[in-house]
Structure formats: C-alpha cells, structure tokens
Amino acid sequence: MPTPSLPSRRGLLFGTAAVSAGALLTTGCTSNESNDSKDADARQADVAQDKPGKKVTIGFAGPQADHGWLNAINENATSRAEKYSDVTLVTTEGSNDTAQQIGQVETLINKKVDVLVILPADGKALTQVGLKAMRAGIPVVNLDRIFASPQAYRCWIGGDNYGMGLNAGRYIGERLKDKKNAKVVELAGMDNLELTRQRTQGFDDALKNYPNIKKVARQAAEFTVESGQAKMSQLLRAVPEFDALWNHDDDQGVGAERAIQQAGRDEFFMVGGAGSKHAMDAIRADNTVLKATVLYPPTMAASAIDLARALGQGKGVNGLAEFEIPASLTLYSAVVTKDNVEEYLPTGFV
C-alpha cells in the first residue's frame, strides 16, 4: 500500500503529519511582514528535507500482519523508509503478544538505534519499555495505540476513533435527515478495546443532532471476516427493516456484505470503516449497499517514519514554524463516497 503525494481533499485524510516531511511547504516564524527576508530566514526552523541529511537508524516494532490494516501499517513504514537514503530501518518480526513485543523492543534498545517507532499490541502493557527507551536516550514515536504515560514517548501519532464515529454518524444523519422515524444499526468492533467504545461514542453523539433517527440495534464483532458475517446475520434477523448500517471495520465488513447478500436485503445503505481497497472498489462500482467508508489511514506509519527521521536529525517538520516536531498528531477521518473515491483509491489497503 504505497503512500503517494496526494493533493486537494486528501489533505483531510492525512492531516498535518502524513505528508512527507519534505513535501510540506516551508512556513516562516515571522509575524511581521515588514521585516526583510534575511531576518525572516534567520527565524525559520531547521527542518528535515527530502534531500539526504544526517544518517538515522530507526527501529520499528510493528504489529503482526494478521489484518489488512495492520499489514498496511507495516508496508507504509517500510516503503517510506526506503524513500530516504539516510535512513536505515531495523524491523522486528511483528507480534500481537505483549511479552514477545517487549522483548523485541528491548533488543532494538540494546542495538542502540537512534529512534524507535512502536505500534504496541497493548499500549498500557508496553508503557514500561517505552519509558526504558526514553531513559536510554532513544526518543520514541508512539504509533496509534497510545502508551499509558506521555513520558514513554516523544511524539504520538494516530487516528481519531471518536472522529471516525462522529463522521460516520454525520454522513448517515445528512442522508436520512428528511426521513421520518429513520432506523440505523451498528456493527461494532471488539468491545474490550477502547477504540471501539470511542467509535461508538462518536457515532451516538453525531446521531443526537438528528432527532428523527434512532439506533435500534448494535452488535460487536471481532474485526474478522468470519465474525462480521456471523454478527451481521444476527442483526439482520433481529431487525427486519432499517435504513442505514455503520460497520466499524472494512475487513469484518466483507463478512457483513456476505450475510447481507445471503439474506437478500437491500433496503438500507452501509457505511464502512478504515478504507480498504475492497470497500473503495465497491463504492466506486456503486452496485451494492456499501456507499461510503470512513478512513482510519494506515499512512500514519509513513508519517511516523518522517517524524522519527526528523527526530534523529534533530530537526523540525517542514511546513511548521516550530523548531521541534509536535508532541502529538491526530489524523482526520475523512468520509470516502462515490464523489471522491477516485482521489482516495490509491490509499486503499488490501
């Protein structure tokens, strides 16, 4: 899943961080336009550029690629690092086992890499090893699943789970705002994960703006095709008729689509989550109930490499006036529809 340079509305997808460090426009620190250009240049931050700079070794501890989005995370990190001749990327095998991942990160610490990028299997469980790295003088870029203490990382970058639910609810709400007594159902992810609860909260908060819409059923799945099919079948049996479905995850959405086809139901439209290529292809074809997907961009891993490189070179991010990279960056969850799918299609993950 490559990370191309994307103009126009794609800026909503990537937010500030996900554009490569060298691709952003340089912004001066000056606020006085009457100052001459020499003084303005003197106040600009020393920023990382696309051209080669100080060599940096980045340790990357990513997830086990047992899910389309997680695999895309690993691919984005690797492909971004290959772009830079001054970056050496040292990757771990990838694990969803916290003890194993802790050991992998400790190995990277012992190798004395310059910067660490970590997407923890469990943020709380890996907090201590993040602290260990920071205390050893190795700055950590915490990717998506956040550590329990901000002392365990120099920078956090990740998606907006609440915003994902919020934008899904807004899209559905706008489509159904003129329909009397509209009904929606929700196929959530794993309820033991905070991210699932955040997505549901955002969705529910958005629906509060549409008093004509009622959520009549919710079922939690497990981010897998099999669970999506099984749980969607239950929803279809429980609710004989409804107007819209929000599914938290495009991988489990493949199973949900199967259940919908088997049931012969098409009285509603479906909104997916994350931004898989399968979902975008279906949206573009416009021949199924799937009409939109709300992005949770795995391009955040490419951005994490950009940030780690800037940290290793002791520089800021091009396009920002500050001399240091930000402490946190939250990416935007854009809604992909038939109207804009061609723009976002290159970012769709398999």
Side-chain angles (χ1 to χ4, degrees), residues 45-200:
D46 186 14
V47 297
Q49 304 282 356
D50 274 350
K51 63 184 181 181
K54 175 185 174 184
K55 292 188 179 296
V56 179
T57 299
I58 300 172
F60 178 73
Q64 182 177 332
D66 57 357
H67 181 279
W69 186 86
L70 294 173
N71 183 61
I73 283 286
N74 294 338
E75 289 182 354
N76 269 268
T78 300
S79 62
R80 181 66 91 187
E82 290 173 351
K83 171 185 173 181
Y84 299 117
S85 61
D86 53 17
V87 168
T88 299
L89 189 68
V90 182
T91 62
T92 63
E93 186 176 339
S95 177
N96 291 333
D97 179 85
T98 55
Q100 185 178 17
Q101 194 178 28
I102 288 169
Q104 292 171 344
V105 174
E106 288 177 336
T107 297
L108 292 172
I109 293 171
N110 292 334
K111 287 183 177 180
K112 301 185 187 303
V113 297
D114 297 310
V115 190
L116 273 168
V117 176
I118 306 173
L119 196 162
D122 183 310
K124 184 177 180 180
L126 266 79
T127 298
Q128 288 302 313
V129 79
L131 286 166
K132 182 176 181 180
M134 293 288 287
R135 288 166 181 161
I138 302 174
V140 175
V141 177
N142 181 193
L143 183 55
D144 200 44
R145 299 172 187 166
I146 195 165
F147 292 136
S149 169
Q151 296 185 67
Y153 59 88
R154 164 60 182 81
C155 175
W156 174 86
I157 177 171
D160 184 357
N161 287 292
Y162 178 85
M164 192 178 179
L166 193 70
N167 287 347
R170 285 172 174 168
Y171 174 78
I172 289 172
E174 286 302 302
R175 285 196 53 161
L176 296 178
K177 63 183 180 181
D178 296 324
K179 183 177 177 60
K180 187 177 180 180
N181 299 323
K183 300 176 182 178
V184 300
V185 299
E186 180 182 8
L187 183 64
M190 299 171 67
D191 269 341
N192 64 321
L193 298 178
E194 178 65 19
L195 66 90
T196 298
R197 297 191 289 271
Q198 290 171 343
R199 292 178 186 183
T200 292

Side-chain angles (χ1 to χ4, degrees), residues 314-341:
K315 296 183 177 182
V317 177
N318 206 350
L320 297 179
E322 287 72 28
F323 287 81
E324 299 282 350
I325 70 167
S328 65
L329 287 165
T330 303
L331 303 188
Y332 184 73
S333 293
V335 180
V336 178
T337 68
K338 189 178 180 180
D339 292 337
N340 61 7
V341 67

